[in-house]
Amino acid sequence: MKAEISPERLMARVASLGRIGALAGGGVCRLALSDADKAGRDWLVAEMEALGLTVFIDAIGNIWGLRAGTGAGAPVMIGSHIDTVATGGLYDGALGVLAGLEVVAALDGAGIETAMPIAVAAFTNEEGARFAPDMMGSGVYQGALDLDTMLATRATDGGGVVGEELDRIGYRGTDAPITPAAYLELHIEQGPVLEQEGTRIGAVTGVQGIHWTEFTVHGQSNHAGTTPMALRRDAGQVATRIALAADRIAAELGPPQVATVGVFELSPGLINVVPEQARLTVDLRNTDGAALDAPTARLLAEARAAAEAAGCTVEHRALARFAPVVFDEALVGKVAQAAAARQLSVKRMPSGAGHDAQMFAPDCPTAMIFIPSEKGLSHNVKEHSDKRDIVAGAQVLLDLVCDLAGAKT
Ligand code: GLV
Ligand code: MN
Ligand code: MN
């Protein structure tokens, strides 16, 4: 007997988690280590326990639930995250974790044991929207990021430190991570490609490189009416030039280079005061990691020149530096085969977004399954994926887990 996804059970869990941190008018805000994140975690742990999973929590607050196999050894892990950006949707991250729960429920319902254990994991702070860098929990789990440095990370808005926030919400655990035998992640595409092409499943070949940089410009406040233009030390104008430089550099390089200025703050932020300080962030991404070094260096040089010309100073902090990652070719092939076996059209494609999967790729066979995102929208409260696609993606995940973990049908 083959295990089948229950659409109702899966969608009920999507709706339940979607109510935690729900925003009026749609979408969710479950910023990492916030009260809403704690509520989501409490709900998830209760769901795992109800499914009979043994729950583990490590020192950075990653949660994983283990379903025993008939044999010992490392598990096949299904992972993603339940934190969101402040204006997030119901599916980014949540879908991967909830599909993991559904895989376990479907196997239990069909009375199917597997030779290898199965782990369902939710990693801390994948988004990086409150604490940089992103992929923090999976990075610590796999050893790419230093635990103590991450625990000491202050929130980008100054409100809270990772270690203290973990203590506050009760999720600083002591369990030791185990490297899985294989890692799988179902995720919404978060871009327009699958929908535009009418393709049902993406077999993800890898994840592009990410450079996040924060700039702080220091100038001098002065009166907006009385200070001649030539005598100003206007931090706001310098910040604007840095933002425009990021846009121009991306335009000159062309696709696949992208650039985003997501944070832009002026201080004191008053209509009639020349800003004395500006803070902005630049997110640069490219599928070719080496190709990211040059635009980053150019941006830093342009920032220094703009500050100097305006009598200001500029500091920068590297908030994230992730090289591109290539997923295991054999496992990517299995994703494509599993989709084809269910008569689902499939496209091999890179991921534009960062994912926990990229932290596992160097250490174990890793692959991701993408499903279409309506209108390519994500990191947006209107983020949506069709139920039919959600169920199809979860079914491909379940079939793959059965294959990899040795389902005894
Ligand atoms: C995480 O969602 C990222 O790609 O920024
Ligand atoms: Mn995500
Ligand atoms: Mn995201």
Side-chain angles (χ1 to χ4, degrees), residues 81 85 92 126-127 190 379:
H81 59 99
V85 297
D92 175 0
E126 188 273 351
E127 292 291 2
Q190 308 183 270
H379 288 186

Coordinates of all heavy atoms in Angstrom, one line a residue, residues 81 85 92 126-127 190 379, ligand 3:
H81 N 11.3 26.2 8.2 CA 11.2 27.2 9.3 C 9.8 27.6 9.5 O 9.0 27.6 8.6 CB 12.1 28.4 9.0 CG 11.8 29.1 7.8 ND1 11.0 30.3 7.8 CD2 12.0 28.9 6.4 CE1 10.8 30.7 6.5 NE2 11.4 29.8 5.7
V85 N 9.0 36.9 7.9 CA 9.3 38.3 7.9 C 8.1 39.0 8.6 O 7.0 38.4 8.8 CB 9.5 38.9 6.5 CG1 10.8 38.2 5.9 CG2 8.3 38.7 5.6
D92 N 5.6 30.4 3.3 CA 7.1 30.5 3.3 C 7.6 29.8 4.5 O 7.4 30.3 5.6 CB 7.5 32.0 3.2 CG 9.0 32.2 3.3 OD1 9.8 31.2 3.4 OD2 9.4 33.3 3.2
E126 N 15.3 31.5 10.2 CA 15.7 31.3 8.8 C 15.6 32.7 8.0 O 16.4 32.9 7.1 CB 14.8 30.3 8.0 CG 15.3 30.0 6.6 CD 14.7 30.9 5.6 OE1 13.9 31.8 5.9 OE2 15.2 30.8 4.4
E127 N 14.7 33.5 8.5 CA 14.4 34.7 7.7 C 15.5 35.8 7.8 O 15.8 36.5 6.9 CB 13.1 35.3 8.1 CG 11.9 34.5 7.7 CD 11.7 34.4 6.2 OE1 12.5 35.0 5.4 OE2 10.7 33.8 5.7
Q190 N 8.4 31.2 -4.5 CA 8.5 32.6 -4.1 C 8.9 33.5 -5.3 O 9.4 34.6 -5.1 CB 9.6 32.8 -3.0 CG 9.3 31.9 -1.8 CD 10.3 32.1 -0.7 OE1 11.4 31.5 -0.6 NE2 10.0 33.0 0.2
H379 N 7.2 37.0 0.7 CA 7.5 38.1 1.6 C 6.5 39.2 1.5 O 6.8 40.4 1.4 CB 8.9 38.6 1.4 CG 10.0 37.6 1.9 ND1 11.3 37.9 2.0 CD2 9.8 36.4 2.4 CE1 12.0 36.8 2.4 NE2 11.1 35.9 2.7
Ligands
MN3 MN 11.4 33.9 3.6

